[in-house]
Amino acid sequence: MKTDKNIFIICLLMLVISLNSYGMHIMEGYLPLNFCITWGIISIPFLYLGTKRLGKSIEANRKNITLIAMSGAFIFVISSLKIPSVTGSCSHMTGVGLGAILFGPLAVSVLGTIVLLFQAILLAHGGLTTLGANIFSMCIVGPIVTFVIYKLLLKLKVNKRIAIFFGAMLGDLITYCVTSLQLAFAFPSTDGGVLVSSIKFLGVFAPTQIPLAIVEGILTVIIMIGLENYARKELRNIGF
């Protein structure tokens, strides 16, 4: 019970801290309508499966709600923190790696969608029309990459904390690669098409996103160490 209270207090503090933060996803009105609809339709099956995955986790043990809420709060805070880029753009961490490792990528698709909705409505961060595109890059592809890398490294007998670091870091980087491709498909270069355009967008994000991805990997490992020390029982409940 004491551990549950400590985790709840941490979640509450993270939400309070985030009230004055800003960040960036693909902004409102930036994508053509057909792209908005397409990315939204592509994301729907993942959200459906993610809802069922979350429901099973809660049904198995209602105390799992504490860790689920903490994972959602972590995504909200981390992805709301906007870092200025030397290119004139800005970047942010995604925070999806923690939830993907704890509950699997499908569950994170739902948690991340809730976060994106709050950010679009309350923080003008991202947008409702671009929600499908942002869900696909940050809440579907990023968590899947994190989960696959983490499991693969564990099978290769790599230290668990190293596996967590590389999973979270690469999940973050791939999210921005997908975002760059989404923008490139919508706005291909007149000189070289989608490929040249995607390279240009990657060049805009890279100066800040590469160090941010490394920081996210380290931060995810630190959070996991904290959970292993103070929420060992809760981690056992979810089979971690």
Side-chain angles (χ1 to χ4, degrees), residues 7 70 78 87 100 176 190 232-233:
I7 294 176
M70 192 211 71
I78 293 300
T87 61
Y176 270 82
T190 53
R232 189 178 298 274
K233 183 180 176 183

Side-chain angles (χ1 to χ4, degrees), residues 20-41:
N20 293 321
S21 61
Y22 302 90
M24 185 198 74
H25 305 295
I26 300 178
M27 63 183 180
E28 188 73 88
Y30 194 69
L31 291 179
L33 181 61
N34 57 330
F35 284 89
C36 296
I37 295 173
T38 300
W39 289 118
I41 292 173

Side-chain angles (χ1 to χ4, degrees), residues 40-91:
I41 292 173
I42 291 173
S43 300
I44 287 174
F46 293 95
L47 295 178
Y48 172 72
L49 295 174
T51 303
K52 295 186 71 172
R53 176 71 181 84
L54 270 182
K56 285 183 179 178
S57 181
I58 295 172
E59 188 179 329
N61 191 333
R62 292 193 64 80
K63 290 185 177 180
N64 292 342
I65 292 176
T66 306
L67 281 179
I68 292 172
M70 192 211 71
S71 299
F74 184 69
I75 297 171
F76 185 86
V77 174
I78 293 300
S79 63
S80 294
L81 300 175
K82 187 176 69 172
I83 308 297
S85 168
V86 293
T87 61
S89 180
C90 56
S91 298

Side-chain angles (χ1 to χ4, degrees), residues 6-20:
N6 289 337
I7 294 176
F8 176 77
I9 291 171
I10 292 172
C11 294
L12 188 62
L13 286 173
M14 292 170 82
L15 284 171
V16 170
I17 290 169
S18 70
L19 288 179
N20 293 321

Side-chain angles (χ1 to χ4, degrees), residues 77-117:
V77 174
I78 293 300
S79 63
S80 294
L81 300 175
K82 187 176 69 172
I83 308 297
S85 168
V86 293
T87 61
S89 180
C90 56
S91 298
H92 61 76
M93 293 177 275
T94 66
V96 297
L98 179 67
I101 290 168
L102 290 176
F103 295 100
L106 291 175
V108 177
S109 68
V110 179
L111 296 177
T113 298
I114 295 170
V115 168
L116 289 174
L117 268 173

Side-chain angles (χ1 to χ4, degrees), residues 115-134:
V115 168
L116 289 174
L117 268 173
F118 274 100
Q119 289 176 336
I121 294 171
L122 301 178
L123 303 179
H125 182 30
L128 295 176
T129 60
T130 56
L131 192 61
N134 288 325

